[in-house]
């Protein structure tokens, strides 16, 4: 089975099982994955803790119903690549809309901070991107432009939980105004 097809099928399987929440605006509610005390007791993470394939989705009763896959691969020299895809119902009954993005990051002189290899020639994709690890969270910030020229910042925070789980908190800002929040739990495959 091809890797993309495998990840798609894994995302659908996790989607059937159920494991996350999503909201728009600033009223996000988080699922009960691990208690704050349990999360605080876990050791700080390094890049290898995030590496590998993951699958997850948002809950059925949210406005952002999506299944998703994630692949984080360590690269020679201390960098890494991240490939993520989301799947949601299309405009035509029975259709699926898929979005996929891949970025490669190289280390900087500062431990635990990486920058994207290069900006996209498409300013609507990304002008700049960087990543960092704080405690048990891998955070990726992506800057770009909206079609009308406003500054857009997308923040992906992937926090490791116990039991082989990871919580994604995605926030999209347009000109520093929070436009969307999505939360999803991922399971290591």
């Amino acid at each position: 089975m091809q890797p993309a097809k495998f990840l798609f099928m894994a995302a659908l399987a996790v989607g059937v099982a159920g494991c996350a929440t999503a909201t728009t605006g600033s009223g996000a509610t988080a699922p009960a994955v691990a208690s704050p005390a349990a999360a605080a007791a876990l050791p700080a993470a390094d890049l290898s803790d995030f590496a590998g394939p993951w699958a997850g989705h948002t809950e059925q009763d949210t406005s952002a119903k999506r299944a998703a896959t994630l692949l984080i691969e360590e690269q020679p020299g201390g960098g890494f690549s991240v490939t993520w895809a989301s799947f949601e119902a299309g405009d035509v009954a029975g259709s699926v809309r898929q979005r996929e993005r891949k970025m490669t990051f190289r280390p900087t002189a500062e431990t635990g901070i990486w920058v994207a290899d290069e900006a996209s020639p498409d300013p609507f994709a990304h002008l700049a991107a960087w990543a960092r690890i704080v405690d048990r969270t891998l955070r990726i910030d992506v800057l770009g432009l909206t079609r009308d020229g406003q500054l857009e910042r997308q923040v992906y925070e992937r926090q490791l939980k116990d039991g082989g789980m990871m919580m994604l908190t995605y926030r999209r800002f347009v000109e520093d105004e929070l436009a969307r929040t999505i939360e999803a739990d991922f399971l290591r495959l």
Side-chain angles (χ1 to χ4, degrees):
M1 185 179 286
Q2 296 176 351
K5 187 173 183 180
F6 172 77
L7 289 175
F8 176 72
M9 296 307 289
L12 290 178
V14 171
V16 171
C19 58
T21 64
T23 63
T24 58
S26 59
T29 58
V33 174
S35 70
L42 298 172
D46 63 26
L47 186 57
S48 65
D49 295 317
F50 295 92
W54 300 82
H57 82 87
T58 59
E59 284 189 8
Q60 297 299 326
D61 63 346
T62 65
S63 62
K65 297 175 184 132
R66 297 180 182 157
T69 60
L70 171 68
L71 179 61
I72 299 174
E73 298 175 289
E74 293 183 89
Q75 302 292 321
F80 70 97
S81 66
V82 59
T83 304
W84 61 100
S86 66
F87 310 90
E88 60 188 298
D91 295 333
V92 177
S95 67
V96 175
R97 185 171 64 189
Q98 176 183 349
R99 289 182 235 169
E100 185 171 325
R101 176 180 247 177
K102 180 175 183 172
M103 298 181 87
T104 301
F105 293 86
R106 66 181 183 280
T108 66
E110 296 296 322
T111 301
I113 298 177
W114 296 263
V115 294
D117 270 351
E118 59 185 57
S120 170
D122 177 2
F124 307 113
H126 77 274
L127 297 170
W130 62 96
R132 63 188 167 127
I133 295 176
V134 177
D135 295 324
R136 298 191 56 78
T137 302
L138 171 62
R139 176 178 167 146
I140 296 176
D141 289 76
V142 181
L143 292 180
L145 298 177
T146 63
R147 292 287 170 193
D148 62 356
Q150 295 183 77
L151 182 65
E152 175 184 67
R153 180 171 52 113
Q154 297 180 47
V155 178
Y156 300 83
E157 290 181 317
R158 296 177 172 97
Q159 182 182 29
L160 293 173
K161 302 290 186 176
D162 57 353
M165 300 292 292
M166 178 191 314
M167 175 183 275
L168 165 68
T169 301
Y170 164 82
R171 292 185 312 276
R172 178 177 175 258
F173 298 87
V174 177
E175 294 290 334
D176 291 331
E177 292 290 325
L178 182 62
R180 183 165 191 86
T181 298
I182 299 174
E183 292 183 339
D185 285 336
F186 282 74
L187 175 66
R188 185 184 299 277
L189 299 177

